[in-house]
Amino acid sequence: MPGPSARPRRPRAAPAASRPVVAGLPPQPRWIYTHPAAEPAPLTAALWNERLLVLTGDTHASAVDLNTGRRVWESPDAAKGQAALAAGKELVFVAGPSEFLWLSAKDGSVAHRVAYADGFEGAPQLSVRTLVGSSGPDLWFTGSHQVTVKAPKPKKGKKPGKDRQVVKSYLFGYDIEQRKELWRTPVPTGRGPIAPVYRLMAVRPDAVVVRQDRLTLTPADVKAAKGKALFRSFDRTTGKQQWAKIFGTAPEAAAAGDADGLLYVAYDHDLRALETPGGRPKWTLNGTPRSSFGTPVEAGALLFTTSSNQEVGVADRETGRLRWRRSTEAVAGGTAPTVTASGSGGTLLAADPGQVTAFAAADGRRLWKFQDIGVQDPKGATVTARYQVLAYGKSALVRRDRVVYAFPVV
């Protein structure tokens, strides 16, 4: 028997059963922001100076601190805004339905405003059609207004004619930091009659390249385009149109450009790099049957590609040589995933209606997948919104409807 000072021997713990590690789980998010259920879901989301996530909605704009994931202000004045851009280090620019607004990044209060109706000399009652795009402080947008064209003086013995109302349309260049118009250039008024809708394709040292929405082409442009896409280039300094060219096989086929004079345009199942303005093919990246390329994304010397068969890849931007191509393993069909490069360019993030997939840009290694659970309430609505990715620094924000996740990425 053990003596009074002896301690009973403890049984040895059984070896722990090995637990399988599930590959491909997303990293733990730094924070999760959920938009209040009492408010409409945000319409747009944008990053501001890597400090704020600015959300615009039907009732107000709001800002979320990127360090904490907490909402720091809201602004009813900026309801239904089209965009949130950095106007210097302290102001958030938002384009509202009837005016440009400059909000304090600190508390969301309105610091400045310019009404479309009377803020542009020589264009009374201006209607801003759409924001084309921006680069730094430069913003481009289209707008139109009505002017009265007086009837010519009638000949002797003839009845005077009637005055006519004519719509004049322009492309504007605007500096959002100095809050001043840089230039405006007349552009053909589309069918409707309305100002044309342009989508920004490329920002170059001396030019802005856009593609015009086919529904806003003039009858003459429709005839000339013959079912293909119409691209225009405008001088960045003066706004003067440099050229107008027809490229591609369909007016809404995926396209993007770079600062070096190339346009990357989807042709049937392939992707071509075209030299502009001539249109000579520099290289062709072959796709796969029964699929089409989505909008590629430039990342330094690389071009991130995407296609409707749910494949993403990386090609050399200079030569078109494919480095790798892999499937996201999402359900095939529908639209191509939207691809986003991380701040360093080391990660490719592909977002589609059902998931976000992260790949190592160097070799195509699949890193992780993420799928939001949606509304947990048994009586909750089914979420149908696509995933959106916004990348900055070493973070990627994944947004679906009213929930935002901040994931660490390389």
Side-chain angles (χ1 to χ4, degrees), residues 27-64:
Q28 189 71 18
R30 294 191 174 116
W31 49 259
I32 301 173
Y33 168 77
T34 303
H35 205 65
E39 301 176 7
L43 300 173
T44 69
L47 296 173
W48 182 87
N49 278 351
E50 297 193 4
R51 285 168 48 192
L52 298 175
L53 169 67
V54 181
L55 305 169
T56 64
D58 282 331
T59 57
H60 58 260
S62 56
V64 177

Side-chain angles (χ1 to χ4, degrees), residues 386-401:
R386 288 181 65 97
Y387 287 87
Q388 178 188 14
V389 176
L390 300 169
Y392 66 99
K394 294 184 178 181
S395 296
L397 302 187
V398 174
R399 171 184 169 236
R400 185 174 182 237
D401 198 40

Side-chain angles (χ1 to χ4, degrees), residues 115-135:
Y116 306 146
D118 57 11
F120 294 85
E121 185 178 353
Q125 302 303 313
L126 180 73
S127 173
V128 171
R129 171 67 174 174
T130 184
L131 299 185
V132 178
S134 65
S135 177

Side-chain angles (χ1 to χ4, degrees), residues 214-225:
R214 63 184 179 85
L215 297 179
T216 66
L217 293 172
T218 65
D221 284 336
V222 171
K223 183 178 180 180

Side-chain angles (χ1 to χ4, degrees), residues 48-118:
W48 182 87
N49 278 351
E50 297 193 4
R51 285 168 48 192
L52 298 175
L53 169 67
V54 181
L55 305 169
T56 64
D58 282 331
T59 57
H60 58 260
S62 56
V64 177
D65 189 303
L66 290 179
N67 289 321
T68 65
R70 296 178 180 176
R71 185 154 77 168
V72 291
W73 53 257
E74 58 185 72
S75 172
D77 292 270
K80 299 181 180 179
Q82 284 194 59
L85 304 171
K89 297 181 179 179
E90 301 301 330
L91 295 178
V92 180
F93 171 87
V94 176
S98 61
E99 60 186 347
F100 288 155
L101 295 168
W102 287 260
L103 309 178
S104 164
K106 183 178 180 180
D107 59 15
S109 59
V110 177
H112 310 282
R113 61 176 82 220
V114 172
Y116 306 146
D118 57 11

Side-chain angles (χ1 to χ4, degrees), residues 13 19 47 150 159 197 221 235 237 240 265 270 282 285 324 383 395 400:
R19 296 180 179 178
L47 296 173
K150 294 291 186 180
K159 292 183 178 180
V197 174
D221 284 336
D235 187 285
T237 302
K240 181 180 178 180
V265 182
D270 302 330
K282 184 173 184 179
L285 177 61
W324 59 262
V383 179
S395 296
R400 185 174 182 237

